[in-house]
Amino acid sequence: MPKDDDQSYHYNVMRRAIEAVDRLGPQATLDNIAREVGMSPAHFQRLFSQWAGVSPKRYQQYLTLGHAKTLLANRFTTLETAHATGLSGGGRLHDLFLRWEAMSPGDFARAGAGLTIYWGWFESPFGPALVMGTDKGICGIAFSAETTEAEAMEDMRARWPRAEFVEDPMRLRPWALAAFGVKADGPVPLYLIGAPFQIKVWEALLQIPSGHVTTYSEIAEAIDHPKAMRAVGTAVGRNPISYLIPCHRALRKSGGLGGYHWGLPVKRAILAWEAARLEA
């Protein structure tokens, strides 16, 4: 497992590798990708094997633009049967034990008034991550690899404009380390702050196992709003707890990746990372 202070460096290499795979197409050999990212093939292979758990040659297939269709064909999850098939134990995925509770609708309507939200920046496998939390658990994770730290902070603060925000990374550090797989001393608590419809969508996302995907239409069916796919897509996009509430696992029925609030390269990297680790 990479050290927490190495993870953003690994993601920066990953991001350049994704760009190289897209640009080189069939010519994306180990030697060519290593040259593109300015490394020797041996160093590149060691880094990727450490980060992804598989060799770069194996990993390359997970980075291709067509991989979403492969995921839909082979790892599609029908949310209504996820529990029955054992794909999602205890309401959550294989690789991380979470517990969560949701803010009441009345509290949400107050836009964070009376709520203290602590925040701090941490390294993650997918670049710098802004982690926010209350006394009850993590309420926000944002990634800044495709934007700026200032923009990520502004985006998150705007979700709860009347809350008090306090910088306190040490308070959040145990949860952040556990969230990104560095060190887990116990379950990671989540505190879902959203409108009732959004929370229903986010709870559905929590049923999608790591390494698997579903579609926006499946989520709409699972929450008993089969015609509300547009509203479901909006709620998925407004998920404040990226990665832990796995909005990256929601794809278009056509096999397209759909959108991702923190940038499609981040979504592709997360999906590839999870798929590789499932098969490693």
Side-chain angles (χ1 to χ4, degrees):
M1 188 68 65
K3 295 184 295 184
D4 59 315
D5 57 356
D6 288 340
Q7 294 190 75
S8 286
Y9 167 70
H10 288 180
Y11 176 73
N12 286 334
V13 176
M14 169 64 61
R15 183 170 179 264
R16 288 152 58 201
I18 292 174
E19 294 171 352
V21 168
D22 290 347
R23 185 169 61 257
L24 294 173
Q27 304 302 314
T29 64
L30 171 62
D31 287 352
N32 287 342
I33 298 174
R35 189 179 303 113
E36 288 283 328
V37 299
M39 293 182 175
S40 69
H43 184 200
F44 178 70
Q45 178 147 347
R46 271 196 312 273
L47 182 64
F48 263 72
S49 295
Q50 179 185 6
W51 190 89
V54 295
S55 69
K57 183 177 181 180
R58 180 69 169 160
Y59 193 80
Q60 182 180 332
Q61 66 181 300
Y62 304 124
L63 294 179
T64 60
L65 289 170
H67 181 56
K69 292 183 178 180
T70 302
L71 283 172
L72 278 178
N74 299 328
R75 294 182 183 166
F76 174 72
T77 295
T78 301
L79 297 179
E80 293 175 347
T81 61
H83 283 293
T85 59
L87 288 175
S88 182
R92 188 43 184 156
L93 37 149
H94 304 291
D95 55 353
L96 189 65
F97 177 63
L98 302 180
R99 57 181 172 85
W100 72 89
E101 64 176 292
M103 173 178 276
S104 71
D107 287 339
F108 172 71
R110 289 193 283 273
L115 188 67
T116 299
I117 296 179
Y118 307 98
W119 63 271
W121 284 97
F122 298 89
E123 302 301 321
S124 86
F126 317 108
L130 172 62
V131 178
M132 291 186 166
T134 70
D135 291 329
K136 295 185 177 182
I138 292 176
C139 66
I141 295 179
F143 295 112
S144 66
E146 300 297 320
T147 178
T148 67
E149 292 187 357
E151 289 170 333
M153 175 65 77
E154 182 180 0
D155 184 304
M156 296 301 287
R157 290 177 68 109
R159 296 165 189 256
W160 313 295
R162 299 178 65 189
E164 178 185 3
F165 290 86
V166 177
E167 183 176 10
D168 193 347
M170 294 309 297
R171 177 189 288 265
L172 300 170
R173 182 175 173 81
W175 295 344
L177 292 182
F180 297 123
V182 177
K183 181 181 179 183
D185 294 326
V188 180
L190 303 183
Y191 189 46
L192 279 56
I193 303 176
F197 181 84
Q198 292 174 323
I199 288 173
K200 287 182 69 175
V201 171
W202 301 340
E203 289 177 340
L205 290 170
L206 284 163
Q207 310 308 317
I208 309 171
S210 181
H212 293 71
V213 295
T214 197
T215 62
Y216 297 104
S217 58
E218 275 291 322
I219 295 171
E221 291 279 356
I223 65 170
D224 297 323
H225 288 80
K227 296 182 179 180
M229 283 183 289
R230 185 179 296 274
V232 164
T234 299
V236 169
R238 292 297 295 169
N239 164 35
I241 311 176
S242 301
Y243 176 61
L244 294 185
I245 297 179
C247 52
H248 57 276
R249 297 179 192 150
L251 305 178
R252 291 174 179 162
K253 200 170 185 178
S254 64
L257 284 173
Y260 191 64
H261 193 76
W262 306 112
L264 281 180
V266 176
K267 182 173 185 173
R268 291 174 63 192
I270 297 175
L271 286 172
W273 189 84
E274 290 184 337
R277 287 180 174 265
L278 185 65
E279 293 190 4

